[in-house]
Amino acid sequence: MLQTGRSQTEVATELRVSQSVISRLQQRHRETGRVTERRRSGRPLATSQADDRYIVNNALRNRMMNALKCHVRNRLHQHGLRARRPARVPDHTTRHRHHRLAWAREHLRWTRDQWSYVVIKLHTDVP
């Protein structure tokens, strides 16, 4: 398009990209004779796309995974997943334990009808 005499702005408007993208592509073509990106340095990926899908699916199934290796964690982060740890619940005090035991002893001999009333009551109170 540029070789036919059209301006960078016209080409950018037609392709719905910014003018700077067209400018960079033209500059790259002048320097290298290509418009594709040059090969970049860096460590190659240790996992394939299929491995990544497997890792993500397993993490979604088991949210309580605790020891993720670094490369696995990176793949999960790429897919928007983070390692989660369950919230730590404070220990019960002696007073709590006594109250729970007293409640259990009071309700030890309840019948099925008494418990069904509690279940029905809970269901009607919930909005």
Side-chain angles (χ1 to χ4, degrees), residues 88-101:
R88 175 118 166 80
V89 178
D91 293 331
H92 288 284
T93 64
T94 304
R95 187 172 59 96
H96 289 141
R97 285 192 291 269
H98 286 297
H99 281 289
R100 285 175 58 125
L101 183 59

Side-chain angles (χ1 to χ4, degrees), residues 54-65 76 81:
Y54 176 77
I55 291 167
V56 169
N57 286 335
N58 276 339
L60 288 171
R61 283 188 200 115
N62 184 5
R63 292 293 201 155
M64 305 306 276
M65 291 174 75
L76 294 176
L81 298 172

